[in-house]
């Protein structure tokens, strides 16, 4: 991590009843299923000392095995409501892992709330949230995401075609990342620098070798497709 020392995050400095609220800073990474959002979350997570995220590698099927701060509570619901129960559940999930908000230097959520109205809802609810949204830029990107979703979920899964009709949001708290743009080194470095500037990070930490490893786990056909597509963006 490229971070200054922060001894307040040491376990011995645990402060009871300090819980995350809608007015605290956080990061949302939102994306359609199949758009490699977990890969991007894994990269961002390494820039912080303790987020409550848990990373366990990449499976032979190509899935990034990662839990976000909320322990993937949001991942199961594309249209989640951030009521008081959500914040209680988050505090409980952290407590079950011997953590609470006082021991975190960032909170990271990852979910499929990528549609315009859902992103606006996140921004309206969390006053200090920053949103990174991964979206396809063309029909080919849409088709690749659909193929990725089928590969990792089930062959009958159908991606909502409205994914192609979301508008680029003109909001300083939203960063749009074109799907596929990190799968070759030149574009990866460009998008990485955009993320660094957006999140006020101290510089690059993860090299493109990590993305290359992810690609090898997708199988030869999808690996080639993703690499070739990335060169067109």
């Amino acid at each position: 991590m490229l971070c200054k020392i922060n001894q307040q995050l040491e376990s011995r400095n645990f402060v009871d009843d300090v819980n995350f609220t809608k007015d605290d800073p956080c990061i949302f990474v939102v994306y359609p299923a199949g758009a490699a959002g977990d890969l991007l979350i894994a990269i961002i997570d390494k820039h912080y000392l303790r987020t409550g995220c848990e990373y366990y590698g990449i499976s032979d099927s190509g899935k990034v095995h990662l839990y976000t701060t909320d322990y993937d509570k949001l991942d199961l619901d594309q249209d989640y409501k951030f009521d008081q129960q959500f914040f209680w559940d988050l505090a409980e999930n952290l407590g079950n892992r011997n953590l609470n908000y006082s021991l975190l230097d960032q909170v990271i959520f990852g979910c499929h709330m990528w549609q315009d109205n859902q992103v606006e809802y996140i921004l309206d609810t969390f006053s200090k949230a920053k949103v990174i949204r991964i979206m396809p830029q063309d029909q080919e990107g849409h088709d690749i995401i659909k193929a990725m979703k089928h590969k990792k979920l089930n062959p009958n899964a159908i991606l909502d075609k409205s994914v192609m009709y979301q508008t680029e949001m003109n909001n300083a708290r939203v960063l749009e990342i074109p799907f596929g743009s990190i799968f070759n080194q030149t574009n990866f470095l460009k998008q990485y620098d955009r993320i660094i500037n957006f999140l006020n990070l101290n510089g690059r930490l993860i090299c493109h070798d990590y993305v290359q490893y992810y690609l090898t786990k997708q199988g030869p056909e999808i690996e080639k497709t993703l690499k070739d597509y990335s060169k067109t963006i």
Side-chain angles (χ1 to χ4, degrees):
M1 295 84 169
L2 301 176
C3 301
K4 294 180 180 179
I5 188 172
N6 188 346
Q7 293 176 302
Q8 289 301 117
L9 302 183
E10 294 181 19
S11 297
R12 62 192 174 95
N13 292 322
F14 177 95
V15 179
D16 199 15
D17 293 327
V18 176
N19 296 320
F20 175 77
T21 74
K22 63 183 179 63
D23 298 316
D24 290 314
C26 60
I27 299 168
F28 275 82
V29 180
V30 300
Y31 52 96
D38 286 347
L39 178 68
L40 190 59
I41 294 170
I43 293 172
I44 293 170
D45 176 56
K46 299 306 178 187
H47 285 267
Y48 299 94
L49 294 171
R50 181 181 278 171
T51 64
C53 296
E54 296 182 16
Y55 174 76
Y56 296 104
I58 302 173
S59 72
D60 289 338
S61 66
K63 180 175 175 56
V64 177
H65 190 44
L66 172 88
Y67 295 102
T68 47
T69 305
D70 58 300
Y71 224 58
D72 271 3
K73 180 176 178 59
L74 291 179
D75 196 44
L76 302 178
D77 197 329
Q78 294 188 14
D79 197 18
Y80 200 82
K81 299 302 180 185
F82 300 111
D83 53 16
Q84 185 58 53
Q85 189 63 50
F86 167 80
F87 295 96
W88 288 335
D89 290 344
L90 175 58
E92 182 179 7
N93 286 339
L94 289 172
N96 290 339
R97 292 178 283 148
N98 297 316
L99 292 171
N100 83 344
Y101 184 57
S102 73
L103 298 178
L104 306 183
D105 62 338
Q106 186 57 274
V107 170
I108 302 176
F109 300 111
C111 61
H112 299 151
M113 296 176 65
W114 47 265
Q115 297 186 34
D116 291 347
N117 63 317
Q118 294 171 322
V119 174
E120 290 169 358
Y121 174 56
I122 291 170
L123 295 172
D124 289 344
T125 303
F126 298 90
S127 61
K128 297 180 181 178
K130 289 189 174 183
V131 178
I132 297 175
R133 180 166 72 164
I134 305 171
M135 295 292 294
Q137 301 299 293
D138 52 28
Q139 186 62 45
E140 185 178 3
H142 171 275
D143 292 343
I144 293 172
I145 288 175
K146 184 176 180 179
M148 295 279 284
K149 182 179 180 181
H150 283 199
K151 177 178 182 288
K152 294 180 182 178
L153 297 180
N154 67 73
N156 297 316
I158 299 174
L159 184 63
D160 184 354
K161 292 184 179 180
S162 64
V163 67
M164 295 301 298
Y165 304 107
Q166 304 307 300
T167 57
E168 186 169 338
M169 304 191 74
N170 185 22
N171 189 306
R173 292 199 286 139
V174 178
L175 178 66
E176 306 272 5
I177 300 291
F179 167 72
S181 59
I182 68 171
F183 295 135
N184 74 69
Q185 185 163 349
T186 300
N187 283 338
F188 170 75
L189 295 176
K190 176 182 176 181
Q191 298 302 332
Y192 203 166
D193 286 344
R194 292 180 68 221
I195 292 169
I196 287 168
N197 291 333
F198 181 64
L199 298 179
N200 299 315
L201 303 174
N202 290 323
R204 299 178 197 148
L205 188 61
I206 306 299
C207 68
H208 195 252
D209 288 0
Y210 176 61
V211 178
Q212 292 281 12
Y213 178 73
Y214 168 85
L215 290 170
T216 64
K217 293 294 188 178
Q218 305 309 310
E221 183 178 350
I222 292 181
E223 177 183 4
K224 184 179 186 306
T225 298
L226 291 173
K227 286 182 176 180
D228 290 346
Y229 177 65
S230 186
K231 295 173 184 176
T232 69
I233 301 175

